[in-house]
């Protein structure tokens, strides 16, 4: 019987994956995502940051979509910028540029998403695939002895599948 890899064999260790405390601002989170993507020359493209509390307990995650939603909210969802007569927002020229820096000072705890699922380091890859497909996830935190030890992403799973299928 061939050896089937465990999640721990494909995961990215937490020490190698960008993560931040909940009190960081949106601006700091954007800088970390940008630096991580550039610093690793495209080898690791972190599109989701993990958010921790003071005791290093996982609080949530922050995707690029969360970051963008965090800075655009004031412009498109607030009643101040919405026409009372129409159901659609009114986009005045300059609103985005003028308010984006102010919105970027909010803490990430205001915009982070809850972690939907986790997987154990000793679980099989097929279990991780099942959960990720079922819940439409691209990344899951990996837990070992009650602590987050890394992340597993669809990228690493796809690379493993391609090795098996193509015989690389």
């Amino acid at each position: 019987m061939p050896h089937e890899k465990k999640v721990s064999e494909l995961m990215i260790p937490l020490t190698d994956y960008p993560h931040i405390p909940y009190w960081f601002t949106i601006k700091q989170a954007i800088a970390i995502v940008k630096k991580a993507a550039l610093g690793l020359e495209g080898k690791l493209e972190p599109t989701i940051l993990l958010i921790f509390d003071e005791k290093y307990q996982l609080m949530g995650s922050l995707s690029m979509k969360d970051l963008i939603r965090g800075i655009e909210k004031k412009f498109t969802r607030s009643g101040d910028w919405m026409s009372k007569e129409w159901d659609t927002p009114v986009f005045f020229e300059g609103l985005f540029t003028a308010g984006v820096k102010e919105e970027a000072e909010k803490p990430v705890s205001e915009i982070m998403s809850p972690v939907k699922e986790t997987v154990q380091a000793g679980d099989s890859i097929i279990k991780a695939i099942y959960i990720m497909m079922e819940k439409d996830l691209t990344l899951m935190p990996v837990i070992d002895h009650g602590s987050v030890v890394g992340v597993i992403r669809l990228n690493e799973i796809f690379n493993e599948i391609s090795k098996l299928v193509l015989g690389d």
Side-chain angles (χ1 to χ4, degrees), residues 9-167:
E9 296 175 76
L10 294 183
M11 75 174 193
I12 300 169
L14 187 60
T15 52
D16 297 340
Y17 194 82
H19 55 283
I20 59 175
Y22 69 93
W23 62 82
F24 267 33
T25 64
I26 293 172
K27 179 180 178 181
Q28 290 172 303
I30 289 172
I32 288 169
V33 168
K34 187 174 178 180
K35 182 179 177 183
L38 294 175
L40 297 170
E41 300 172 0
K43 291 181 183 173
L44 175 64
E45 297 173 12
T47 57
I48 298 175
L49 296 174
L50 297 180
I51 312 298
F52 288 88
D53 68 9
E54 300 89 351
K55 296 179 181 174
Y56 234 79
Q57 295 297 308
L58 184 62
M59 292 182 66
S61 65
L62 194 64
S63 68
M64 285 188 182
K65 191 173 182 178
D66 292 327
L67 289 168
I68 293 169
R69 187 180 303 121
I71 61 169
E72 65 87 34
K73 196 175 198 173
K74 182 177 178 182
F75 312 115
T76 60
R77 298 183 187 194
S78 169
D80 296 342
W81 304 102
M82 296 281 287
S83 166
K84 305 291 184 219
E85 299 171 5
W86 304 317
D87 291 336
T88 56
V90 177
F91 303 107
F92 295 109
E93 182 74 25
L95 279 180
F96 181 75
T97 303
V100 72
K101 286 187 178 182
E102 180 184 329
E103 293 295 315
E105 294 302 321
K106 292 188 299 193
V108 295
S109 60
E110 290 184 19
I111 64 166
M112 69 184 181
S113 297
V115 172
K116 294 178 185 174
E117 297 289 335
T118 61
V119 66
Q120 295 294 314
D123 284 342
S124 66
I125 296 301
I126 192 67
K127 182 177 180 181
I129 292 170
Y130 173 79
I131 295 169
M132 294 172 92
M133 293 298 108
E134 195 69 22
K135 303 292 182 179
D136 195 27
L137 302 172
T138 59
L139 174 144
M140 279 193 306
V142 178
I143 308 294
D144 192 25
H145 297 98
S147 298
V148 177
V149 294
V151 296
I152 183 119
R153 304 180 315 163
L154 281 182
N155 299 31
E156 286 70 45
I157 291 173
F158 181 80
N159 287 339
E160 184 64 20
I161 291 170
S162 72
K163 287 178 192 172
L164 294 171
V165 171
L166 302 174

